[in-house]
Amino acid sequence: MIKDRIAVFDSGLGGLTAVRELFSVLPRENIVYFGDTARVPYGTRSVDLIRRFARQDLEFLLQYEPKAVLVACGTMSAVALEDLRTMTDVPVIGVVSPAAQAAAKATRNGKIGILGTAATIQSGAYEAEIRSLRPVEVISRSCPLFVPLVENGYVGRESIAYSVALDYTALLREAGVDTVILGCTHYPLLRPLLGEIFGENVVLVDSGREGALELANVLYRQNLQTQKPFATEHLYFVTDEVDHFTQLAGMFLNSNLEGKVRKVEIG
Ligand code: DGL
């Protein structure tokens, strides 16, 4: 098999925020996506367990001989990236560093908010990365209910997600942040709602999108772009029931995934 696929993975649907961006910036590339829907959420679990899950996820994807890997999950990027890099020689890109760079560049008043899972916020990974770039004030908040809400399709203004989001964002709004990192790749699915709550003067940095842009840069710099004129096949794997994912993912990617999502067992 020629190494000509990009592997993307997450605990569930969230990594599709990166896939959507890859479709737009690298439309000729074939993507193999893995979402560990049977074990989502990861962000409330211990670092050891997240690392174990992450290794199993990548091990599964390495069968497809990817030429590059995008860890499209803030949680795994925050606590398992170095570990994952030891498993393969191909570039393994996370979302933390690219999103931190985008936020450090975007802030005007030097106040950056970070929303992420419990494990991500506890790791301090975004904060450390931002502070290595610029001396800024960082206000972090973990949002454990966001991932289950997104996985169940509660993302609209009229849904229960709205009142949860008002609560999770209160500290950041009071602090007057002008830039907020959506540090979990599920959160951009709540973007319309969060955009309304923060208002148009606050820049929302999409970690999935920034990770995808970084991956595109790496392919370009390492001359790994495909020679094919167009993408021929995208593969989607999940570890739990296919229908739910097919429906939500299809809606989100704006494409019909009927019959294209397969269930697998790992670990
Ligand atoms: N999309 C994952 C992230 O970026 C969600 C983690 C979870 O499953 O809790 O952190």
Side-chain angles (χ1 to χ4, degrees):
M1 190 173 0
I2 307 165
K3 285 193 177 190
D4 202 21
R5 278 184 203 283
I6 296 169
V8 182
F9 70 105
D10 179 41
S11 58
L13 278 166
L16 295 175
T17 56
V19 170
R20 187 165 67 173
E21 194 62 29
L22 289 174
F23 283 168
S24 131
V25 292
L26 298 171
R28 297 186 295 139
E29 302 288 348
N30 282 341
I31 290 168
V32 51
Y33 184 81
F34 174 82
D36 192 6
T37 50
R39 302 191 293 194
V40 67
Y42 282 12
T44 47
R45 303 184 192 263
S46 68
V47 169
D48 278 353
L49 196 57
I50 296 165
R51 287 195 180 135
R52 189 183 342 141
F53 287 175
R55 277 198 300 270
Q56 291 168 345
D57 300 348
L58 180 56
E59 210 165 83
F60 170 78
L61 282 169
L62 290 179
Q63 297 173 70
Y64 292 87
E65 304 238 348
K67 60 183 173 183
V69 177
L70 178 58
V71 185
C73 170
T75 307
M76 288 189 268
S77 300
V79 307
L81 192 62
E82 290 316 314
D83 204 17
L84 295 172
R85 284 184 170 148
T86 64
M87 292 173 60
T88 173
D89 292 334
V90 303
V92 178
I93 289 117
V95 298
V96 170
S97 171
Q101 283 179 35
K105 214 184 275 176
T107 184
R108 289 142 288 144
N109 71 2
K111 291 182 186 182
I112 297 177
I114 302 167
L115 299 176
T117 66
T120 299
I121 299 302
Q122 233 157 46
S123 77
Y126 278 108
E127 196 165 335
E129 195 76 36
I130 294 169
R131 287 196 205 282
S132 75
L133 300 164
R134 251 184 99 169
V136 292
E137 194 181 326
V138 176
I139 299 103
S140 306
R141 176 71 155 104
S142 72
C143 313
L145 291 175
F146 274 173
V147 169
L149 284 168
V150 169
E151 287 287 324
N152 288 286
Y154 291 97
V155 294
R157 163 83 170 81
E158 65 301 329
S159 77
I160 187 183
Y162 189 75
S163 49
V164 174
L166 275 180
D167 184 64
Y168 284 161
T169 56
L171 213 64
L172 278 63
R173 288 183 283 121
E174 278 155 27
V177 298
D178 72 354
T179 303
V180 174
I181 299 182
L182 308 181
C184 163
T185 53
H186 279 70
Y187 301 176
L189 288 150
L190 297 163
R191 193 186 182 109
L193 188 151
L194 290 168
E196 193 180 318
I197 291 174
F198 280 112
E200 57 187 13
N201 292 328
V202 174
V203 177
L204 300 181
V205 176
D206 175 336
S207 54
R209 173 169 190 270
E210 298 304 329
L213 294 176
E214 174 63 14
L215 183 125
N217 274 333
V218 169
L219 289 196
Y220 176 72
R221 285 200 303 266
Q222 301 195 15
N223 215 3
L224 289 172
Q225 290 140 311
T226 188
Q227 300 305 313
K228 294 188 312 299
F230 46 80
T232 48
E233 181 190 45
H234 301 303
L235 303 172
Y236 300 88
F237 295 100
V238 291
T239 48
D240 200 0
E241 123 4 78
V242 162
D243 293 349
H244 180 71
F245 183 90
T246 304
Q247 196 199 339
L248 283 178
M251 235 162 53
F252 180 67
L253 292 177
N254 217 354
S255 88
N256 185 0
L257 298 187
E258 282 312 315
K260 292 189 187 154
V261 182
R262 273 180 274 167
K263 183 180 167 186
V264 289
E265 284 201 11
I266 62 156

